[in-house]
Amino acid sequence: MSGLDTIDEAAIQRLRKIGGEDLINELTAIFLKNTPGRIQAAREAIRSGDVNQVMLVAHSLKSSCANLGARHMQQIAAETEKIAMNGDAAPLPGLVEKLDESFRSVRESLQRRVTQSPHRPRILVVEDNADNRLLVRALLQPLYEISEYENGTDALAGISSQSPDLVLLDISLPGMDGYAVLGAIRANPSMADIPVIALTAHAMTGDRDKIIASGFNDYISKPIDDEQILLDSIARLLKT
Ligand code: MN
């Protein structure tokens, strides 16, 4: 096999759905950190004739490769595991060197992925209702990095530490309500320009005018019957 081992994009897509770009980056970092030590452990186990240990190491490598979609290396690890399980020591040194070679390619692919991956905008969701948070997360996670907060005080701390690209802010919150949170955002020069969309069940005539007049950039009423309205509003505000 020549050239770089590529990463199976379907595996990456799955990870993105589960935990966004953060999960992909953390798994990549763990894989890059742990794999050289595992390969070294396999070499040492071969030297000391511990075929069972080679099998265990190959098994761990196999699942780590599967998580990240490193298919070629995963196959070599599976083959190594199987041969070690059969107690056949002779092919193991060659297989471990193949694993090492494959790892170097995978490492290059992963590092290239990380540097090429586009910036995914971060959206901070402030909503006290767990059902609504779950729904909003399901809608937004394929496209954005999401941070969630249940109240205004925690959200303000989150905004200053994470500098999100946009905030989705519920109006009725325990403690500080959405207007008070917005006021604090607009009063702080480092956060003042962040687009903020009001998320509210108060779908009453006049509310929209009041909300926009208070400085929100847009208004989405709950329940979210048409998710495209929310997605379009976010996309439009992120562009400006
Ligand atoms: Mn609420």
Side-chain angles (χ1 to χ4, degrees), residues 127-129 169-174 176-179 199-202 222:
E127 162 67 75
D128 59 316
N129 183 314
L169 178 55
D170 185 18
I171 296 283
S172 355
L173 290 166
M176 290 177 91
D177 70 3
Y179 293 110
L199 201 57
T200 178
H202 299 164
K222 291 186 292 189

mmCIF file with all atom_site columns, all heavy atoms in Angstrom, residues 127-129 169-174 176-179 199-202 222:
data_model
loop_
_atom_site.group_PDB
_atom_site.id
_atom_site.type_symbol
_atom_site.label_atom_id
_atom_site.label_alt_id
_atom_site.label_comp_id
_atom_site.label_asym_id
_atom_site.label_entity_id
_atom_site.label_seq_id
_atom_site.pdbx_PDB_ins_code
_atom_site.Cartn_x
_atom_site.Cartn_y
_atom_site.Cartn_z
_atom_site.occupancy
_atom_site.B_iso_or_equiv
_atom_site.pdbx_formal_charge
_atom_site.auth_seq_id
_atom_site.auth_comp_id
_atom_site.auth_asym_id
_atom_site.auth_atom_id
_atom_site.pdbx_PDB_model_num
ATOM 1   N N   . GLU A 1 127 ? -31.092 28.569 27.860 1.00 0.00 ? 127 GLU A N   1
ATOM 2   C CA  . GLU A 1 127 ? -32.477 28.085 27.896 1.00 0.00 ? 127 GLU A CA  1
ATOM 3   C C   . GLU A 1 127 ? -32.616 27.219 29.140 1.00 0.00 ? 127 GLU A C   1
ATOM 4   O O   . GLU A 1 127 ? -31.800 26.320 29.372 1.00 0.00 ? 127 GLU A O   1
ATOM 5   C CB  . GLU A 1 127 ? -32.722 27.289 26.597 1.00 0.00 ? 127 GLU A CB  1
ATOM 6   C CG  . GLU A 1 127 ? -33.895 26.351 26.578 1.00 0.00 ? 127 GLU A CG  1
ATOM 7   C CD  . GLU A 1 127 ? -35.237 27.053 26.632 1.00 0.00 ? 127 GLU A CD  1
ATOM 8   O OE1 . GLU A 1 127 ? -35.644 27.628 25.589 1.00 0.00 ? 127 GLU A OE1 1
ATOM 9   O OE2 . GLU A 1 127 ? -35.853 27.045 27.716 1.00 0.00 ? 127 GLU A OE2 1
ATOM 10  N N   . ASP A 1 128 ? -33.635 27.503 29.978 1.00 0.00 ? 128 ASP A N   1
ATOM 11  C CA  . ASP A 1 128 ? -33.775 26.740 31.222 1.00 0.00 ? 128 ASP A CA  1
ATOM 12  C C   . ASP A 1 128 ? -34.533 25.433 31.034 1.00 0.00 ? 128 ASP A C   1
ATOM 13  O O   . ASP A 1 128 ? -34.474 24.563 31.892 1.00 0.00 ? 128 ASP A O   1
ATOM 14  C CB  . ASP A 1 128 ? -34.436 27.592 32.312 1.00 0.00 ? 128 ASP A CB  1
ATOM 15  C CG  . ASP A 1 128 ? -35.814 28.080 31.899 1.00 0.00 ? 128 ASP A CG  1
ATOM 16  O OD1 . ASP A 1 128 ? -35.947 28.532 30.743 1.00 0.00 ? 128 ASP A OD1 1
ATOM 17  O OD2 . ASP A 1 128 ? -36.745 27.998 32.713 1.00 0.00 ? 128 ASP A OD2 1
ATOM 18  N N   . ASN A 1 129 ? -35.241 25.299 29.919 1.00 0.00 ? 129 ASN A N   1
ATOM 19  C CA  . ASN A 1 129 ? -36.031 24.091 29.699 1.00 0.00 ? 129 ASN A CA  1
ATOM 20  C C   . ASN A 1 129 ? -35.184 23.028 28.971 1.00 0.00 ? 129 ASN A C   1
ATOM 21  O O   . ASN A 1 129 ? -34.750 23.230 27.847 1.00 0.00 ? 129 ASN A O   1
ATOM 22  C CB  . ASN A 1 129 ? -37.264 24.469 28.862 1.00 0.00 ? 129 ASN A CB  1
ATOM 23  C CG  . ASN A 1 129 ? -38.189 23.297 28.627 1.00 0.00 ? 129 ASN A CG  1
ATOM 24  O OD1 . ASN A 1 129 ? -37.750 22.202 28.281 1.00 0.00 ? 129 ASN A OD1 1
ATOM 25  N ND2 . ASN A 1 129 ? -39.466 23.517 28.809 1.00 0.00 ? 129 ASN A ND2 1
ATOM 26  N N   . LEU A 1 169 ? -30.953 33.229 23.055 1.00 0.00 ? 169 LEU A N   1
ATOM 27  C CA  . LEU A 1 169 ? -31.255 33.588 24.443 1.00 0.00 ? 169 LEU A CA  1
ATOM 28  C C   . LEU A 1 169 ? -32.745 33.523 24.733 1.00 0.00 ? 169 LEU A C   1
ATOM 29  O O   . LEU A 1 169 ? -33.542 34.269 24.157 1.00 0.00 ? 169 LEU A O   1
ATOM 30  C CB  . LEU A 1 169 ? -30.696 35.003 24.695 1.00 0.00 ? 169 LEU A CB  1
ATOM 31  C CG  . LEU A 1 169 ? -30.889 35.656 26.033 1.00 0.00 ? 169 LEU A CG  1
ATOM 32  C CD1 . LEU A 1 169 ? -30.358 34.793 27.178 1.00 0.00 ? 169 LEU A CD1 1
ATOM 33  C CD2 . LEU A 1 169 ? -30.185 37.019 26.048 1.00 0.00 ? 169 LEU A CD2 1
ATOM 34  N N   . ASP A 1 170 ? -33.101 32.644 25.643 1.00 0.00 ? 170 ASP A N   1
ATOM 35  C CA  . ASP A 1 170 ? -34.483 32.537 26.124 1.00 0.00 ? 170 ASP A CA  1
ATOM 36  C C   . ASP A 1 170 ? -34.827 33.815 26.893 1.00 0.00 ? 170 ASP A C   1
ATOM 37  O O   . ASP A 1 170 ? -33.966 34.407 27.543 1.00 0.00 ? 170 ASP A O   1
ATOM 38  C CB  . ASP A 1 170 ? -34.545 31.304 27.049 1.00 0.00 ? 170 ASP A CB  1
ATOM 39  C CG  . ASP A 1 170 ? -35.943 30.997 27.531 1.00 0.00 ? 170 ASP A CG  1
ATOM 40  O OD1 . ASP A 1 170 ? -36.918 31.491 26.926 1.00 0.00 ? 170 ASP A OD1 1
ATOM 41  O OD2 . ASP A 1 170 ? -36.052 30.260 28.532 1.00 0.00 ? 170 ASP A OD2 1
ATOM 42  N N   . ILE A 1 171 ? -36.087 34.238 26.809 1.00 0.00 ? 171 ILE A N   1
ATOM 43  C CA  . ILE A 1 171 ? -36.490 35.444 27.539 1.00 0.00 ? 171 ILE A CA  1
ATOM 44  C C   . ILE A 1 171 ? -36.854 35.098 28.992 1.00 0.00 ? 171 ILE A C   1
ATOM 45  O O   . ILE A 1 171 ? -36.365 35.731 29.925 1.00 0.00 ? 171 ILE A O   1
ATOM 46  C CB  . ILE A 1 171 ? -37.687 36.142 26.851 1.00 0.00 ? 171 ILE A CB  1
ATOM 47  C CG1 . ILE A 1 171 ? -37.303 36.636 25.454 1.00 0.00 ? 171 ILE A CG1 1
ATOM 48  C CG2 . ILE A 1 171 ? -38.188 37.297 27.726 1.00 0.00 ? 171 ILE A CG2 1
ATOM 49  C CD1 . ILE A 1 171 ? -36.493 37.890 25.401 1.00 0.00 ? 171 ILE A CD1 1
ATOM 50  N N   . SER A 1 172 ? -37.713 34.082 29.191 1.00 0.00 ? 172 SER A N   1
ATOM 51  C CA  . SER A 1 172 ? -38.036 33.751 30.588 1.00 0.00 ? 172 SER A CA  1
ATOM 52  C C   . SER A 1 172 ? -37.048 32.755 31.144 1.00 0.00 ? 172 SER A C   1
ATOM 53  O O   . SER A 1 172 ? -37.025 31.594 30.754 1.00 0.00 ? 172 SER A O   1
ATOM 54  C CB  . SER A 1 172 ? -39.441 33.174 30.776 1.00 0.00 ? 172 SER A CB  1
ATOM 55  O OG  . SER A 1 172 ? -40.153 33.179 29.627 1.00 0.00 ? 172 SER A OG  1
ATOM 56  N N   . LEU A 1 173 ? -36.239 33.265 32.037 1.00 0.00 ? 173 LEU A N   1
ATOM 57  C CA  . LEU A 1 173 ? -35.208 32.451 32.684 1.00 0.00 ? 173 LEU A CA  1
ATOM 58  C C   . LEU A 1 173 ? -35.335 32.672 34.186 1.00 0.00 ? 173 LEU A C   1
ATOM 59  O O   . LEU A 1 173 ? -35.768 33.741 34.616 1.00 0.00 ? 173 LEU A O   1
ATOM 60  C CB  . LEU A 1 173 ? -33.814 32.914 32.231 1.00 0.00 ? 173 LEU A CB  1
ATOM 61  C CG  . LEU A 1 173 ? -33.401 32.622 30.794 1.00 0.00 ? 173 LEU A CG  1
ATOM 62  C CD1 . LEU A 1 173 ? -32.158 33.443 30.432 1.00 0.00 ? 173 LEU A CD1 1
ATOM 63  C CD2 . LEU A 1 173 ? -33.126 31.141 30.590 1.00 0.00 ? 173 LEU A CD2 1
ATOM 64  N N   . PRO A 1 174 ? -34.921 31.694 34.984 1.00 0.00 ? 174 PRO A N   1
ATOM 65  C CA  . PRO A 1 174 ? -34.911 31.914 36.430 1.00 0.00 ? 174 PRO A CA  1
ATOM 66  C C   . PRO A 1 174 ? -33.835 32.945 36.790 1.00 0.00 ? 174 PRO A C   1
ATOM 67  O O   . PRO A 1 174 ? -32.779 32.965 36.159 1.00 0.00 ? 174 PRO A O   1
ATOM 68  C CB  . PRO A 1 174 ? -34.551 30.530 36.993 1.00 0.00 ? 174 PRO A CB  1
ATOM 69  C CG  . PRO A 1 174 ? -33.865 29.814 35.876 1.00 0.00 ? 174 PRO A CG  1
ATOM 70  C CD  . PRO A 1 174 ? -34.425 30.366 34.604 1.00 0.00 ? 174 PRO A CD  1
ATOM 71  N N   . MET A 1 176 ? -31.995 36.265 36.445 1.00 0.00 ? 176 MET A N   1
ATOM 72  C CA  . MET A 1 176 ? -31.943 37.269 35.367 1.00 0.00 ? 176 MET A CA  1
ATOM 73  C C   . MET A 1 176 ? -32.776 36.783 34.193 1.00 0.00 ? 176 MET A C   1
ATOM 74  O O   . MET A 1 176 ? -32.587 35.661 33.730 1.00 0.00 ? 176 MET A O   1
ATOM 75  C CB  . MET A 1 176 ? -30.505 37.388 34.832 1.00 0.00 ? 176 MET A CB  1
ATOM 76  C CG  . MET A 1 176 ? -29.489 38.001 35.722 1.00 0.00 ? 176 MET A CG  1
ATOM 77  S SD  . MET A 1 176 ? -27.868 37.947 34.887 1.00 0.00 ? 176 MET A SD  1
ATOM 78  C CE  . MET A 1 176 ? -27.890 39.532 34.040 1.00 0.00 ? 176 MET A CE  1
ATOM 79  N N   . ASP A 1 177 ? -33.645 37.638 33.658 1.00 0.00 ? 177 ASP A N   1
ATOM 80  C CA  . ASP A 1 177 ? -34.364 37.214 32.463 1.00 0.00 ? 177 ASP A CA  1
ATOM 81  C C   . ASP A 1 177 ? -33.540 37.573 31.209 1.00 0.00 ? 177 ASP A C   1
ATOM 82  O O   . ASP A 1 177 ? -32.444 38.133 31.318 1.00 0.00 ? 177 ASP A O   1
ATOM 83  C CB  . ASP A 1 177 ? -35.787 37.796 32.417 1.00 0.00 ? 177 ASP A CB  1
ATOM 84  C CG  . ASP A 1 177 ? -35.809 39.300 32.181 1.00 0.00 ? 177 ASP A CG  1
ATOM 85  O OD1 . ASP A 1 177 ? -34.728 39.910 31.999 1.00 0.00 ? 177 ASP A OD1 1
ATOM 86  O OD2 . ASP A 1 177 ? -36.923 39.867 32.192 1.00 0.00 ? 177 ASP A OD2 1
ATOM 87  N N   . GLY A 1 178 ? -34.076 37.223 30.056 1.00 0.00 ? 178 GLY A N   1
ATOM 88  C CA  . GLY A 1 178 ? -33.340 37.425 28.816 1.00 0.00 ? 178 GLY A CA  1
ATOM 89  C C   . GLY A 1 178 ? -32.991 38.885 28.553 1.00 0.00 ? 178 GLY A C   1
ATOM 90  O O   . GLY A 1 178 ? -31.918 39.196 28.037 1.00 0.00 ? 178 GLY A O   1
ATOM 91  N N   . TYR A 1 179 ? -33.903 39.802 28.924 1.00 0.00 ? 179 TYR A N   1
ATOM 92  C CA  . TYR A 1 179 ? -33.625 41.230 28.720 1.00 0.00 ? 179 TYR A CA  1
ATOM 93  C C   . TYR A 1 179 ? -32.417 41.674 29.559 1.00 0.00 ? 179 TYR A C   1
ATOM 94  O O   . TYR A 1 179 ? -31.567 42.433 29.100 1.00 0.00 ? 179 TYR A O   1
ATOM 95  C CB  . TYR A 1 179 ? -34.847 42.081 29.098 1.00 0.00 ? 179 TYR A CB  1
ATOM 96  C CG  . TYR A 1 179 ? -36.042 41.887 28.197 1.00 0.00 ? 179 TYR A CG  1
ATOM 97  C CD1 . TYR A 1 179 ? -37.192 41.239 28.653 1.00 0.00 ? 179 TYR A CD1 1
ATOM 98  C CD2 . TYR A 1 179 ? -36.019 42.359 26.888 1.00 0.00 ? 179 TYR A CD2 1
ATOM 99  C CE1 . TYR A 1 179 ? -38.291 41.070 27.828 1.00 0.00 ? 179 TYR A CE1 1
ATOM 100 C CE2 . TYR A 1 179 ? -37.124 42.190 26.043 1.00 0.00 ? 179 TYR A CE2 1
ATOM 101 C CZ  . TYR A 1 179 ? -38.258 41.537 26.525 1.00 0.00 ? 179 TYR A CZ  1
ATOM 102 O OH  . TYR A 1 179 ? -39.339 41.366 25.704 1.00 0.00 ? 179 TYR A OH  1
ATOM 103 N N   . LEU A 1 199 ? -35.282 33.864 22.083 1.00 0.00 ? 199 LEU A N   1
ATOM 104 C CA  . LEU A 1 199 ? -35.990 32.595 21.927 1.00 0.00 ? 199 LEU A CA  1
ATOM 105 C C   . LEU A 1 199 ? -37.087 32.639 22.975 1.00 0.00 ? 199 LEU A C   1
ATOM 106 O O   . LEU A 1 199 ? -36.807 32.622 24.171 1.00 0.00 ? 199 LEU A O   1
ATOM 107 C CB  . LEU A 1 199 ? -34.988 31.483 22.241 1.00 0.00 ? 199 LEU A CB  1
ATOM 108 C CG  . LEU A 1 199 ? -35.214 30.078 21.742 1.00 0.00 ? 199 LEU A CG  1
ATOM 109 C CD1 . LEU A 1 199 ? -35.348 30.051 20.245 1.00 0.00 ? 199 LEU A CD1 1
ATOM 110 C CD2 . LEU A 1 199 ? -34.048 29.201 22.180 1.00 0.00 ? 199 LEU A CD2 1
ATOM 111 N N   . THR A 1 200 ? -38.315 32.756 22.519 1.00 0.00 ? 200 THR A N   1
ATOM 112 C CA  . THR A 1 200 ? -39.350 32.939 23.531 1.00 0.00 ? 200 THR A CA  1
ATOM 113 C C   . THR A 1 200 ? -40.696 32.358 23.160 1.00 0.00 ? 200 THR A C   1
ATOM 114 O O   . THR A 1 200 ? -41.076 32.300 21.996 1.00 0.00 ? 200 THR A O   1
ATOM 115 C CB  . THR A 1 200 ? -39.528 34.432 23.874 1.00 0.00 ? 200 THR A CB  1
ATOM 116 O OG1 . THR A 1 200 ? -40.585 34.546 24.824 1.00 0.00 ? 200 THR A OG1 1
ATOM 117 C CG2 . THR A 1 200 ? -39.845 35.239 22.650 1.00 0.00 ? 200 THR A CG2 1
ATOM 118 N N   . ALA A 1 201 ? -41.403 31.923 24.185 1.00 0.00 ? 201 ALA A N   1
ATOM 119 C CA  . ALA A 1 201 ? -42.743 31.377 24.002 1.00 0.00 ? 201 ALA A CA  1
ATOM 120 C C   . ALA A 1 201 ? -43.785 32.481 24.006 1.00 0.00 ? 201 ALA A C   1
ATOM 121 O O   . ALA A 1 201 ? -44.933 32.252 23.699 1.00 0.00 ? 201 ALA A O   1
ATOM 122 C CB  . ALA A 1 201 ? -43.047 30.374 25.109 1.00 0.00 ? 201 ALA A CB  1
ATOM 123 N N   . HIS A 1 202 ? -43.373 33.683 24.364 1.00 0.00 ? 202 HIS A N   1
ATOM 124 C CA  . HIS A 1 202 ? -44.327 34.788 24.448 1.00 0.00 ? 202 HIS A CA  1
ATOM 125 C C   . HIS A 1 202 ? -44.686 35.308 23.069 1.00 0.00 ? 202 HIS A C   1
ATOM 126 O O   . HIS A 1 202 ? -44.289 36.406 22.676 1.00 0.00 ? 202 HIS A O   1
ATOM 127 C CB  . HIS A 1 202 ? -43.754 35.931 25.284 1.00 0.00 ? 202 HIS A CB  1
ATOM 128 C CG  . HIS A 1 202 ? -43.451 35.522 26.678 1.00 0.00 ? 202 HIS A CG  1
ATOM 129 N ND1 . HIS A 1 202 ? -42.648 36.241 27.514 1.00 0.00 ? 202 HIS A ND1 1
ATOM 130 C CD2 . HIS A 1 202 ? -43.848 34.437 27.396 1.00 0.00 ? 202 HIS A CD2 1
ATOM 131 C CE1 . HIS A 1 202 ? -42.555 35.628 28.689 1.00 0.00 ? 202 HIS A CE1 1
ATOM 132 N NE2 . HIS A 1 202 ? -43.273 34.526 28.629 1.00 0.00 ? 202 HIS A NE2 1
ATOM 133 N N   . LYS A 1 222 ? -41.174 30.071 20.276 1.00 0.00 ? 222 LYS A N   1
ATOM 134 C CA  . LYS A 1 222 ? -41.255 28.654 20.649 1.00 0.00 ? 222 LYS A CA  1
ATOM 135 C C   . LYS A 1 222 ? -42.722 28.268 20.750 1.00 0.00 ? 222 LYS A C   1
ATOM 136 O O   . LYS A 1 222 ? -43.530 29.097 21.159 1.00 0.00 ? 222 LYS A O   1
ATOM 137 C CB  . LYS A 1 222 ? -40.565 28.414 21.993 1.00 0.00 ? 222 LYS A CB  1
ATOM 138 C CG  . LYS A 1 222 ? -39.074 28.570 21.969 1.00 0.00 ? 222 LYS A CG  1
ATOM 139 C CD  . LYS A 1 222 ? -38.454 28.186 23.299 1.00 0.00 ? 222 LYS A CD  1
ATOM 140 C CE  . LYS A 1 222 ? -38.815 29.154 24.401 1.00 0.00 ? 222 LYS A CE  1
ATOM 141 N NZ  . LYS A 1 222 ? -38.058 28.935 25.651 1.00 0.00 ? 222 LYS A NZ  1
#
